[in-house]
Amino acid sequence: MKHSEVQAPETMLQQVKLTCGLLKRVQDTNRTNTLPIEYEQLRDTGRLESLKLGWKPGDPNRPHHFWDSDEAKWLEAVGYSLANYSDPELEALADAVIDDLADVQQEDGYLNTYYTVVEPGKRWSNTRIMHELYCAGHLIEGAVAYYQGTGKRKFLDVMCRYADYIATVFGHGEGQIPSYPGHEEIELALVKLYRATGEEKYLDLAEYFVDERGRQPHYWDVERAALGETDTPRWGGSEYFQAHAPIVEQTDIEGHSVRATYLMSGVTDVALLQDDAELAEASKRLWHSMVDRRMYVTGGIGSSANGERFTSDYDLPNDTAYAETCAAIGAVFWARRMLDLDPRGEYADVMERCLYNAVLPGVSLDGKDFFYANMLDVNKAVWDAKRPEECHDSEQPQRQPWFGCACCPPNVARLAASLNMYVYSRRGSTVYCNLYTPSEAEFRFEGGSVRLLQETDYPWDERIHLTVAEVSGSPTVALRIPGWCRKPALSINGENIKVSAVLANGYALLTREWVAGDLIELTLPMPVERLYARPEVWMDNGCTAIQRGPILYCLEAADNGEGLHALVLPEGSALSASYDADLLGGVALITGKGWRKTAPGNGTLYAPGAPNRQPVELTFVPYYAWGNRAPGSMLVWVHTC
Ligand code: FUB
Ligand code: ZN
């Protein structure tokens, strides 16, 4: 299959429209609440002012070396949003930010606020740590999105000039720097720039950054020597930056988890576009390292706060889980690209898991507060007793309006504004439905086109109706049969179809002479399931996690009282689901009978004999919706017996 038959996700922004349901509500809240308050945060924290280049030593709000990325992600989100929802006021604000960014650009094309006002003359002196290429990548993504959403070229032209300049700086030519970014991001951005402009030079530059990474001699050794750095590099070494070996030789997903997922998104893009079998193999190997051994049941990744990083296989602590929201977003980006590289339902399964259970928890239901770290076990009493100096703003048991390091909030905004790109993927005349959500979609392919209407109450209800509203040619409609679903049922115009007969790589492939009005009915039964971890994940031994369909559940104090570790869900206890339209924006609740343990013996700290127990009704709510009521404890992995 030629890569030219794969439709770029960015081009689906306007072709797929969310019409109602949970994901549409997330997108609407993002537009009405998140984007405006993030603009105010960018303004009030000095980020927007920094673009005026007026900062001098001694002034407050010293520009940070990756502030540019915060504005960039917000602009990217605005670009996506404007593609589907006109908002002249928002567009005017964004245009003004773009005007300021354009003024930051230097004669030679360079554009970086920090190195223009804080450390002039030192550009590219610390490519390992200082995020210039990372900021450039985010700005490029912002420019492409703004161009695609509004048709305005100004930002895109600015970033093409910057990318052209970067291409003169990096490489193996005379006077060039044979380096690559310490924080990956520019690789995937250059691929988008290539696709938006058709200019191969941007793909070549992306390929250079991917290919050069981890090769010997290591340019960063030269750079560190020039900087006079002789200590052991912070966080251990080059594996923190995924630069310990060339990518094609790496065996495990390592280091900082946002870096890793951004890198691998770019690698997967390059593998597809350059038809590079070795890079494709590396993408799959590292994907499995992440998904099979280093991912929380939520889809969260990067278990350690120390370095925001992956640690070792099966090291997935719950109460100290870092699971940065940005890392889950990076996993969604990567999954979407794996689907284009090799359309297998298992990638969409992970994408769905990460989206609902690791990204959505990152933002409050009203779109105004954010989690940076996403714990799976919060004990309020322990948190209440912590001293302020023990509490970093990124590791809090309650969502915050903003963070000193504000990477997560605008990252949530850009994903929420672009959810349209994740519903479908397309290769040639095959349209893959990856996410079930009410939507309208239109695809053109060589020899035809198809318009699909999706109606469903998924993820709460198991029924999905897909109407082929208009059609020409012979498209194949590929419906994902989720890995969690054991007894899917399928019919076309009321005629049953045996799923196993049409199932390939996790999709039911439906090919026929479609007629406008054909109705596909898919039923994905969603019994409440108990999940168990393999024993190597020792923190989860003796516990179970509750899932229904794609939604992972948790216990919250608001429903069950404090002391969640004292609660037990016996193996045989029946669990039932019921939809409550008035709770947490409308969710399916799960209830069942359990026990609450009380102190053994006469109430001493330790005593022989089993604890006493009282029967209780347990109520589980979706993990993504936790923390939207009064502050309290929360628990994903519940004791069982
Ligand atoms: O370093 C830039 C961003 O800040 C990273 O992606 C996040 O993990 C946070 O450290
Ligand atoms: Zn973040």
Side-chain angles (χ1 to χ4, degrees):
M1 175 71 72
K2 287 187 293 206
H3 66 73
S4 58
E5 297 190 15
V6 173
Q7 180 173 351
E10 309 90 87
T11 62
M12 294 186 186
L13 200 55
Q14 280 131 319
Q15 289 182 4
V16 182
K17 293 195 194 304
L18 308 185
T19 49
C20 56
L22 174 58
L23 296 185
K24 164 83 163 137
R25 201 185 65 219
V26 168
Q27 191 165 77
D28 285 348
T29 308
N30 184 60
R31 189 177 75 253
T32 57
N33 294 2
T34 310
L35 290 177
I37 60 159
E38 289 190 353
Y39 177 83
E40 287 165 17
Q41 291 285 1
L42 293 171
R43 184 193 61 203
D44 298 348
T45 55
R47 282 164 170 81
L48 296 184
E49 187 60 28
S50 75
L51 301 177
K52 307 276 187 200
L53 303 180
W55 184 87
K56 298 179 298 319
D59 287 352
N61 294 333
R62 178 182 188 263
H64 185 270
H65 65 273
F66 55 83
W67 269 8
D68 286 353
S69 67
D70 297 331
E71 293 97 78
K73 280 188 267 186
W74 181 80
L75 286 170
E76 184 184 342
V78 172
Y80 295 141
S81 190
L82 292 175
N84 282 306
Y85 310 96
S86 159
D87 185 339
E89 212 176 303
L90 183 65
E91 190 167 343
L93 291 177
D95 283 343
V97 176
I98 289 168
D99 288 344
D100 287 345
L101 271 167
D103 290 344
V104 175
Q105 187 158 45
Q106 308 291 295
E107 279 290 294
D108 56 4
Y110 182 78
L111 198 173
N112 183 286
T113 312
Y114 176 87
Y115 277 106
T116 303
V117 296
V118 181
E119 290 201 85
K122 294 208 178 153
R123 60 168 93 157
W124 312 126
S125 57
N126 193 346
T127 55
R128 189 174 63 98
I129 296 293
M130 287 304 283
H131 287 54
E132 279 158 295
L133 291 170
Y134 167 84
C135 288
H138 276 304
L139 288 164
I140 291 170
E141 281 202 272
V144 170
Y146 206 72
Y147 169 62
Q148 284 165 338
T150 64
K152 293 180 180 170
R153 281 201 67 101
K154 178 169 184 174
F155 194 11
L156 188 71
D157 289 340
V158 165
M159 293 317 298
C160 285
R161 266 187 75 207
Y162 190 15
D164 291 344
Y165 161 73
I166 290 171
T168 67
V169 173
F170 290 90
H172 286 285
E174 176 103 27
Q176 287 187 308
I177 305 174
S179 193
Y180 41 84
H183 194 315
E184 306 91 324
E185 154 63 25
I186 196 165
E187 303 83 353
L188 72 90
L190 286 166
V191 171
K192 285 188 178 178
L193 191 61
Y194 155 67
R195 290 203 284 225
T197 61
E199 296 276 5
E200 295 261 351
K201 59 187 175 184
Y202 301 130
L203 180 59
D204 293 344
L205 187 56
E207 194 179 7
Y208 160 77
F209 284 131
V210 163
D211 191 52
E212 189 59 26
R213 194 164 205 90
R215 298 217 176 264
Q216 296 291 350
H218 215 298
Y219 176 75
W220 289 349
D221 293 337
V222 177
E223 189 177 81
R224 273 168 45 78
L227 290 165
E229 290 180 15
T230 50
D231 55 325
T232 305
R234 201 171 168 219
W235 310 126
S238 47
E239 81 282 358
Y240 172 75
F241 305 89
Q242 301 77 40
H244 50 296
I247 289 157
V248 291
E249 291 171 20
Q250 295 185 18
T251 53
D252 291 297
I253 196 88
E254 298 290 3
H256 183 266
S257 53
V258 181
R259 284 173 164 85
T261 51
Y262 285 9
L263 167 67
M264 292 314 300
S265 297
V267 167
T268 306
D269 278 338
V270 173
L272 172 73
L273 293 172
Q274 302 290 43
D275 200 13
D276 186 321
E278 264 195 301
L279 282 182
E281 211 31 60
S283 299
K284 291 178 187 176
R285 189 169 60 244
L286 297 176
W287 172 266
H288 281 290
S289 166
M290 176 176 83
V291 171
D292 299 348
R293 299 185 291 281
R294 299 187 178 186
M295 181 175 268
Y296 283 99
V297 69
T298 56
I301 49 169
S303 57
S304 173
N306 185 6
E308 311 185 303
R309 66 184 299 164
F310 292 102
T311 54
S312 50
D313 287 350
Y314 312 119
D315 176 37
L316 298 164
N318 295 310
D319 57 342
T320 58
Y322 199 66
E324 182 180 343
T325 302
C326 283
I329 292 170
V332 170
F333 293 164
W334 186 11
R336 179 66 185 80
R337 287 159 171 85
M338 291 300 285
L339 283 170
D340 280 341
L341 182 68
D342 185 9
R344 306 181 74 86
E346 64 187 271
Y347 300 128
D349 285 355
V350 175
M351 184 170 83
E352 180 178 63
R353 174 183 292 277
C354 295
L355 176 61
Y356 282 115
N357 306 305
V359 177
L360 291 198
V363 56
S364 57
L365 296 177
D366 67 6
K368 295 180 178 175
D369 295 298
F370 307 89
F371 276 135
Y372 189 121
N374 291 276
M375 292 165 267
L376 285 78
D377 174 356
V378 168
N379 185 339
K380 182 168 183 294
V382 170
W383 280 95
D384 285 351
K386 285 191 197 247
R387 293 186 301 274
E389 66 272 20
E390 292 177 298
C391 301
H392 197 274
D393 70 348
S394 60
E395 294 165 76
Q396 290 290 328
Q398 282 144 42
R399 293 182 185 84
Q400 308 291 309
W402 197 247
F403 304 95
C405 171
C407 50
C408 298
N411 226 354
V412 169
R414 68 183 179 138
L415 181 55
S418 59
L419 284 170
N420 320 42
M421 298 180 197
Y422 297 85
V423 181
Y424 292 94
S425 50
R426 183 180 70 79
R427 274 188 166 222
S429 59
T430 303
V431 176
Y432 296 89
C433 183
N434 301 312
L435 296 180
Y436 295 109
T437 194
S439 54
E440 298 174 5
E442 191 158 10
F443 298 98
R444 287 181 197 294
F445 48 88
E446 209 182 312
S449 66
V450 62
R451 199 159 86 81
L452 298 169
L453 302 184
Q454 230 196 102
E455 292 164 293
T456 179
D457 281 328
Y458 191 94
W460 314 121
D461 191 84
E462 61 191 27
R463 287 162 301 173
I464 297 133
H465 285 186
L466 204 71
T467 305
V468 178
E470 288 167 34
V471 64
S472 64
S474 302
T476 296
V477 178
L479 300 178
R480 180 173 68 99
I481 305 300
W484 50 259
C485 182
R486 281 170 243 300
K487 290 187 182 155
L490 187 58
S491 71
I492 301 181
N493 300 331
E495 198 178 305
N496 289 340
I497 295 189
K498 202 169 169 206
V499 173
S500 58
V502 291
L503 193 65
N505 298 326
Y507 291 92
L509 300 179
L510 306 178
T511 310
R512 57 196 268 147
E513 290 309 311
W514 298 102
V515 176
D518 279 345
L519 174 65
I520 306 168
E521 290 177 81
L522 176 65
T523 307
L524 301 172
M526 296 179 178
V528 180
E529 302 251 50
R530 287 172 161 82
L531 303 182
Y532 302 87
R534 51 185 295 163
E536 291 90 334
V537 192
W538 56 269
M539 313 76 175
D540 301 340
N541 280 339
C543 296
T544 183
I546 302 303
Q547 180 170 300
R548 178 174 178 270
I551 302 291
L552 185 77
Y553 281 76
C554 66
L555 292 172
E556 262 204 294
D559 308 294
N560 301 284
E562 283 295 337
L564 300 177
H565 277 279
L567 297 174
V568 180
L569 175 65
E571 287 295 348
S573 182
L575 292 166
S576 59
S578 60
Y579 185 74
D580 185 338
D582 298 324
L583 187 70
L584 300 168
V587 293
L589 288 176
I590 292 174
T591 51
K593 295 200 185 318
W595 297 325
R596 178 176 282 278
K597 292 190 280 188
T598 54
N602 58 5
T604 55
L605 186 54
Y606 306 104
N612 299 313
R613 60 193 197 195
Q614 294 165 351
V616 289
E617 178 85 355
L618 300 178
T619 300
F620 295 82
V621 294
Y623 173 70
Y624 79 77
W626 93 270
N628 280 283
R629 296 174 285 181
S633 296
M634 179 278 298
L635 190 62
V636 169
W637 287 99
V638 181
H639 297 277
T640 188
C641 65

